[in-house]
Amino acid sequence: MSRATVKKTGTIEEDSSTESESVVHLKGEIHSSRGDHDKERELMKDGIDALVLEGTENTGDYGVTEGWFQQAIAGMFYILSPLYVSKEILVDFAELQGANVYFTRESDAEVLRNAPLTMRVISASLYFLLLPSSVIVGLITGDYLAGAGFLAVSFSVPVLLLRFYNMEFNSGDQNRDEVMAQKIADAAEENDTVLAVVGAGHADGIIDALPKTLNVTYHPPEYGRASKEHLKEILIPLFQTFSLLLTLYLAILWIIVTLVGFL
């Protein structure tokens, strides 16, 4: 597909030529940014016909060989949950306006299934290597902080490796950016005004994959990840994340020690 006609907010020069009556507001965000969340609500005030959210529509069904991925992604999101700004308000606002709500994937299982077998084996091997290592570190050395760090890595690295591969190396209906672009294009075919909220790292790939006939306005993040505003926002959530991680790790150790004691 050719690059979509894009207007970017801010100081970037605008190109207003378009062949489509549908308007797409593409909002790139930092998922932990309240400033971006406020901007998204502001974009909805004038009314939209459709909301497209980066995320899953349902939990999905996992096969026998996919259980490790279900555990890894559940653990990762459980630990990181304090950092993420919920999109429930956006969904509620859209439904009050009578707007259609779309998600960019049916379930998180797509992340695993869209990757080639080699990458799935590598990621699974990392998970089964790192997860026991986190337990061993805690039991043998008594260094619970290091063990908790291993646990966080065992959850996140295999998942992020697959997501990175799907975004950077896959193509067509297995490439994350192209899949999201198609979801947005489909929503624009059926609705006049579309707000699409995606991670800022996906924005360039999505814009490149959108049809050139779409009238797209790109709204970048309100501030950077390392900005003072963002760091102030995530200070307390980071502490909550650390608390969840350490509590989960200690609970795992307690369960293992208790089970061994019964043997």
Side-chain angles (χ1 to χ4, degrees), residues 22-166:
S22 297
V23 175
V24 175
H25 291 280
L26 180 64
K27 179 67 180 80
E29 68 164 17
I30 301 169
H31 296 310
S32 53
S33 169
R34 298 196 176 278
D36 286 331
H37 189 56
D38 291 341
K39 178 63 176 180
E40 290 150 14
R41 288 187 295 174
E42 181 182 327
L43 289 170
M44 298 182 71
K45 286 181 179 179
D46 292 334
I48 60 171
D49 300 306
L51 173 66
V52 181
L53 292 175
E54 180 187 350
T56 59
E57 189 170 358
N58 54 64
T59 56
D61 296 322
Y62 289 83
V64 175
T65 61
E66 300 172 334
W68 72 269
F69 183 78
Q70 184 179 21
Q71 296 168 8
I73 203 163
M76 185 181 77
F77 282 118
Y78 171 75
I79 293 169
L80 296 178
S81 58
L83 288 169
Y84 280 83
V85 178
S86 173
K87 296 295 182 288
E88 291 183 6
I89 292 178
L90 300 185
V91 173
D92 290 343
F93 199 0
E95 291 176 346
L96 283 172
Q97 295 179 359
N100 297 308
V101 179
Y102 304 88
F103 294 89
T104 57
R105 57 182 179 270
E106 291 185 8
S107 75
D108 287 322
E110 290 181 19
V111 176
L112 178 64
R113 293 167 185 166
N114 287 344
L117 178 60
T118 302
M119 292 305 302
R120 281 181 273 169
V121 170
I122 291 173
S123 296
S125 300
L126 283 172
Y127 178 74
F128 288 115
L129 174 66
L130 292 169
L131 184 61
S133 296
S134 69
V135 175
I136 291 171
V137 168
L139 293 178
I140 293 180
T141 69
D143 190 344
Y144 300 137
L145 292 180
F150 266 96
L151 181 64
V153 170
S154 72
F155 288 148
S156 59
V157 168
V159 174
L160 294 177
L161 179 63
L162 290 172
R163 293 186 65 169
F164 177 79
Y165 185 92
N166 290 344

Side-chain angles (χ1 to χ4, degrees), residues 162-175:
L162 290 172
R163 293 186 65 169
F164 177 79
Y165 185 92
N166 290 344
M167 186 172 69
E168 296 294 334
F169 298 106
N170 267 347
S171 59
D173 60 2
Q174 293 181 322
N175 179 274

